[in-house]
Coordinates of all heavy atoms in Angstrom, one line a residue:
Q143 N -97.2 20.9 -9.6 CA -97.7 20.6 -8.2 C -98.5 19.3 -8.0 O -98.2 18.6 -7.0 CB -98.5 21.8 -7.7 CG -97.6 23.1 -7.6 CD -98.6 24.2 -7.0 OE1 -99.6 24.0 -6.3 NE2 -98.3 25.4 -7.4
A144 N -99.2 19.0 -9.0 CA -100.0 17.8 -9.0 C -99.0 16.5 -9.0 O -99.2 15.5 -8.4 CB -101.0 17.7 -10.0
Q145 N -98.0 16.7 -9.8 CA -97.1 15.6 -10.0 C -96.3 15.4 -8.7 O -96.1 14.3 -8.1 CB -96.0 15.9 -11.2 CG -96.6 15.6 -12.4 CD -95.5 15.8 -13.5 OE1 -94.9 16.8 -13.5 NE2 -95.4 14.8 -14.4
R146 N -95.8 16.5 -8.2 CA -95.0 16.4 -6.8 C -95.8 15.9 -5.7 O -95.3 15.3 -4.9 CB -94.4 17.8 -6.5 CG -93.2 18.2 -7.5 CD -92.7 19.5 -7.0 NE -91.7 19.8 -8.1 CZ -91.2 21.1 -8.2 NH1 -91.6 22.1 -7.4 NH2 -90.2 21.3 -9.1
G147 N -97.1 16.3 -5.7 CA -98.0 15.8 -4.6 C -98.5 14.4 -4.8 O -99.5 13.9 -4.0
K148 N -98.2 13.9 -5.9 CA -98.6 12.5 -6.2 C -100.0 12.2 -6.5 O -100.6 11.3 -6.3 CB -98.1 11.4 -5.1 CG -96.5 11.4 -5.0 CD -96.1 10.4 -4.2 CE -94.6 10.4 -3.9 NZ -93.7 10.3 -4.9
V149 N -100.7 13.4 -6.9 CA -102.1 13.3 -7.2 C -102.4 12.6 -8.4 O -103.4 11.9 -8.6 CB -102.6 14.9 -7.3 CG1 -104.0 14.9 -7.8 CG2 -102.2 15.7 -6.1
L150 N -101.4 12.6 -9.4 CA -101.7 11.9 -10.7 C -101.4 10.3 -10.6 O -101.8 9.7 -11.6 CB -100.8 12.6 -11.7 CG -101.1 14.0 -11.9 CD1 -100.0 14.5 -12.9 CD2 -102.5 14.3 -12.3
E151 N -100.8 9.9 -9.6 CA -100.5 8.4 -9.5 C -101.6 7.5 -9.7 O -101.5 6.4 -10.3 CB -99.7 8.1 -8.2 CG -98.3 8.6 -8.4 CD -97.4 8.1 -7.0 OE1 -98.0 7.4 -6.2 OE2 -96.3 8.4 -7.1
P152 N -102.8 7.8 -9.2 CA -103.9 6.9 -9.3 C -104.3 6.7 -10.8 O -105.0 5.9 -11.1 CB -105.0 7.5 -8.6 CG -104.4 8.3 -7.5 CD -103.1 8.8 -8.1
F153 N -104.0 7.6 -11.6 CA -104.3 7.7 -13.0 C -103.5 6.8 -13.8 O -103.6 6.5 -15.0 CB -104.4 9.0 -13.6 CG -105.4 9.9 -13.0 CD1 -105.2 10.7 -12.0 CD2 -106.8 9.8 -13.6 CE1 -106.2 11.5 -11.3 CE2 -107.7 10.6 -13.0 CZ -107.4 11.5 -11.9
A154 N -102.2 6.4 -13.3 CA -101.3 5.6 -14.1 C -101.7 4.2 -14.0 O -102.0 3.6 -12.9 CB -99.9 5.7 -13.4
K155 N -101.8 3.5 -15.2 CA -102.1 2.0 -15.3 C -100.9 1.3 -15.8 O -100.2 1.7 -16.7 CB -103.3 1.9 -16.1 CG -104.6 2.4 -15.5 CD -105.8 1.9 -16.3 CE -107.0 2.3 -15.7 NZ -108.1 1.9 -16.4
R156 N -100.8 0.1 -15.3 CA -99.6 -0.8 -15.8 C -100.4 -2.0 -16.4 O -100.3 -3.1 -15.9 CB -98.8 -1.1 -14.6 CG -98.1 0.0 -13.9 CD -96.6 0.1 -14.3 NE -96.1 1.1 -13.5 CZ -95.4 2.1 -14.2 NH1 -95.4 2.3 -15.5 NH2 -94.9 3.1 -13.4
V157 N -101.0 -1.8 -17.5 CA -101.7 -2.9 -18.2 C -101.1 -3.2 -19.5 O -100.6 -2.3 -20.2 CB -103.2 -2.4 -18.4 CG1 -104.0 -3.5 -19.2 CG2 -104.0 -2.0 -17.1
H158 N -100.8 -4.5 -19.8 CA -100.3 -4.9 -21.0 C -100.8 -6.2 -21.3 O -101.3 -6.9 -20.6 CB -98.8 -4.9 -21.0 CG -98.2 -5.8 -20.0 ND1 -97.9 -5.4 -18.7 CD2 -97.7 -7.1 -20.2 CE1 -97.4 -6.4 -18.1 NE2 -97.3 -7.4 -18.9
C159 N -100.7 -6.6 -22.6 CA -101.1 -7.9 -23.1 C -100.1 -8.5 -24.0 O -99.0 -7.9 -24.1 CB -102.6 -7.8 -23.8 SG -102.4 -6.8 -25.3
E160 N -100.5 -9.6 -24.7 CA -99.6 -10.4 -25.5 C -99.2 -9.5 -26.8 O -98.2 -9.9 -27.5 CB -99.9 -11.9 -25.8 CG -101.3 -11.7 -26.7 CD -102.5 -11.6 -25.9 OE1 -102.4 -11.6 -24.7 OE2 -103.7 -11.8 -26.5
N161 N -100.0 -8.5 -27.0 CA -99.8 -7.7 -28.3 C -99.1 -6.5 -28.0 O -99.1 -5.5 -28.9 CB -101.2 -7.4 -28.9 CG -101.9 -8.7 -29.4 OD1 -101.3 -9.6 -29.8 ND2 -103.1 -8.7 -29.1
Y162 N -98.6 -6.1 -26.9 CA -98.0 -4.8 -26.5 C -96.6 -4.8 -27.2 O -95.9 -5.7 -27.7 CB -97.8 -4.6 -25.1 CG -96.8 -5.7 -24.4 CD1 -95.5 -5.4 -24.4 CD2 -97.3 -6.8 -23.9 CE1 -94.7 -6.3 -23.8 CE2 -96.4 -7.7 -23.2 CZ -95.0 -7.5 -23.3 OH -94.3 -8.4 -22.7
L163 N -96.1 -3.5 -27.4 CA -94.7 -3.3 -27.8 C -93.9 -2.8 -26.7 O -94.4 -2.3 -25.6 CB -94.8 -2.1 -28.7 CG -95.6 -2.3 -30.1 CD1 -95.6 -1.1 -30.9 CD2 -95.0 -3.4 -31.0
E164 N -92.7 -3.2 -26.8 CA -91.8 -2.9 -25.6 C -90.6 -2.0 -26.0 O -90.2 -2.0 -27.0 CB -91.1 -4.4 -25.2 CG -90.5 -4.5 -23.9 CD -90.0 -5.8 -23.7 OE1 -90.8 -6.7 -23.2 OE2 -88.8 -6.1 -24.1
K165 N -90.4 -1.0 -25.1 CA -89.4 0.0 -25.3 C -88.5 0.0 -24.2 O -88.9 0.1 -23.1 CB -90.1 1.4 -25.6 CG -89.2 2.4 -25.9 CD -89.9 3.8 -26.2 CE -88.9 4.8 -26.6 NZ -89.7 6.0 -27.0
V166 N -87.2 -0.1 -24.5 CA -86.2 -0.2 -23.4 C -85.4 1.1 -23.5 O -84.8 1.5 -24.4 CB -85.3 -1.4 -23.7 CG1 -84.2 -1.3 -22.6 CG2 -86.0 -2.7 -23.7
N167 N -85.4 1.8 -22.3 CA -84.7 3.0 -22.1 C -83.0 2.7 -22.2 O -82.6 1.9 -21.3 CB -84.9 3.8 -20.9 CG -84.3 5.1 -20.8 OD1 -83.1 5.2 -20.9 ND2 -85.1 6.2 -20.5
K168 N -82.3 3.1 -23.1 CA -80.9 2.8 -23.2 C -80.1 3.3 -22.1 O -79.2 2.6 -21.7 CB -80.4 3.3 -24.5 CG -80.8 2.7 -25.8 CD -80.3 3.4 -26.9 CE -81.0 2.7 -28.3 NZ -80.4 3.3 -29.5
K169 N -80.4 4.4 -21.4 CA -79.6 4.8 -20.3 C -79.9 4.1 -19.0 O -79.1 3.7 -18.3 CB -79.9 6.4 -20.0 CG -79.3 7.2 -21.2 CD -79.5 8.7 -20.9 CE -79.0 9.5 -21.9 NZ -79.1 10.9 -21.8
S170 N -81.2 4.0 -18.8 CA -81.6 3.3 -17.4 C -82.0 1.9 -17.5 O -82.0 1.2 -16.4 CB -82.9 4.1 -16.7 OG -84.1 4.0 -17.6
G171 N -82.3 1.4 -18.6 CA -82.7 0.0 -18.7 C -84.0 -0.2 -18.5 O -84.7 -1.4 -18.5
E172 N -84.9 0.8 -18.1 CA -86.3 0.7 -17.8 C -87.0 0.2 -19.0 O -86.8 0.7 -20.1 CB -86.8 2.1 -17.3 CG -88.2 2.0 -16.9 CD -88.8 3.4 -16.4 OE1 -88.0 4.3 -16.6 OE2 -90.0 3.5 -16.1
I173 N -88.0 -0.6 -18.8 CA -88.8 -1.1 -19.9 C -90.3 -0.5 -19.7 O -90.8 -0.6 -18.7 CB -88.9 -2.6 -19.8 CG1 -87.5 -3.2 -20.0 CG2 -89.8 -3.1 -21.0 CD1 -87.5 -4.7 -19.8
T174 N -90.8 0.1 -20.8 CA -92.1 0.6 -20.9 C -92.8 -0.2 -21.9 O -92.3 -0.6 -22.9 CB -92.3 2.0 -21.2 OG1 -91.5 2.4 -22.4 CG2 -91.7 2.9 -20.0
Y175 N -94.1 -0.4 -21.6 CA -95.0 -1.2 -22.6 C -96.1 -0.3 -23.1 O -96.5 0.6 -22.5 CB -95.7 -2.3 -21.9 CG -94.7 -3.2 -21.2 CD1 -94.4 -3.1 -19.8 CD2 -94.1 -4.2 -21.9 CE1 -93.5 -4.0 -19.1 CE2 -93.1 -5.1 -21.2 CZ -92.9 -4.8 -19.9 OH -91.8 -5.7 -19.3
H176 N -96.3 -0.4 -24.5 CA -97.4 0.4 -25.2 C -98.0 -0.2 -26.3 O -97.3 -1.2 -26.7 CB -96.8 1.7 -25.5 CG -95.7 1.7 -26.5 ND1 -95.7 1.8 -27.8 CD2 -94.4 1.4 -26.3 CE1 -94.7 1.6 -28.4 NE2 -93.7 1.4 -27.5
H177 N -99.1 0.2 -26.8 CA -99.7 -0.1 -28.0 C -99.5 1.0 -29.0 O -99.5 2.2 -28.5 CB -101.1 -0.5 -27.8 CG -101.4 -1.7 -27.2 ND1 -101.7 -1.7 -25.7 CD2 -101.5 -3.0 -27.6 CE1 -101.8 -3.1 -25.4 NE2 -101.8 -3.8 -26.5
Q178 N -99.4 0.7 -30.2 CA -99.2 1.6 -31.2 C -100.5 1.5 -32.1 O -100.9 0.6 -32.5 CB -98.0 1.5 -32.0 CG -97.5 2.6 -32.7 CD -96.1 2.4 -33.2 OE1 -95.5 1.3 -33.3 NE2 -95.4 3.5 -33.4
I179 N -100.8 2.8 -32.6 CA -102.1 2.8 -33.6 C -101.8 3.8 -34.7 O -101.1 4.8 -34.5 CB -103.4 3.1 -32.8 CG1 -104.6 3.2 -33.7 CG2 -103.3 4.5 -32.2 CD1 -105.9 3.3 -32.9
F180 N -102.3 3.5 -35.8 CA -102.2 4.3 -37.0 C -103.7 4.8 -37.3 O -104.4 3.8 -37.6 CB -101.6 3.7 -38.1 CG -101.4 4.6 -39.4 CD1 -100.5 5.6 -39.4 CD2 -102.2 4.5 -40.4 CE1 -100.4 6.5 -40.4 CE2 -102.2 5.2 -41.6 CZ -101.2 6.3 -41.6
G181 N -104.1 6.0 -37.0 CA -105.5 6.3 -37.3 C -105.6 7.4 -38.4 O -104.9 8.4 -38.3
G182 N -106.5 7.3 -39.2 CA -106.7 8.3 -40.2 C -108.0 9.1 -39.9 O -109.0 8.5 -39.2
S183 N -108.0 10.4 -40.4 CA -109.3 11.1 -40.2 C -109.3 12.1 -41.3 O -108.4 12.5 -41.9 CB -109.4 11.7 -38.8 OG -108.2 12.6 -38.7
I184 N -110.6 12.6 -41.6 CA -110.6 13.7 -42.5 C -110.9 15.0 -41.8 O -111.8 15.0 -41.0 CB -112.0 13.4 -43.4 CG1 -111.8 12.0 -44.1 CG2 -112.3 14.5 -44.4 CD1 -113.1 11.6 -44.8
V185 N -110.0 15.9 -42.1 CA -110.2 17.3 -41.5 C -110.1 18.3 -42.5 O -109.7 18.1 -43.6 CB -109.0 17.3 -40.4 CG1 -109.1 16.4 -39.4 CG2 -107.7 17.3 -41.1

Side-chain angles (χ1 to χ4, degrees):
Q143 289 180 30
Q145 281 181 312
R146 288 183 181 161
K148 301 191 185 297
V149 174
L150 303 175
E151 283 187 359
F153 295 93
K155 288 189 175 182
R156 304 253 184 236
V157 178
H158 61 273
C159 68
E160 66 274 1
N161 298 317
Y162 66 85
L163 298 172
E164 201 175 271
K165 185 174 184 179
V166 180
N167 184 309
K168 292 180 182 180
K169 290 183 180 180
S170 68
E172 180 184 4
I173 300 172
T174 54
Y175 305 96
H176 60 95
H177 286 95
Q178 199 166 21
I179 184 170
F180 181 76
S183 58
I184 299 171
V185 296

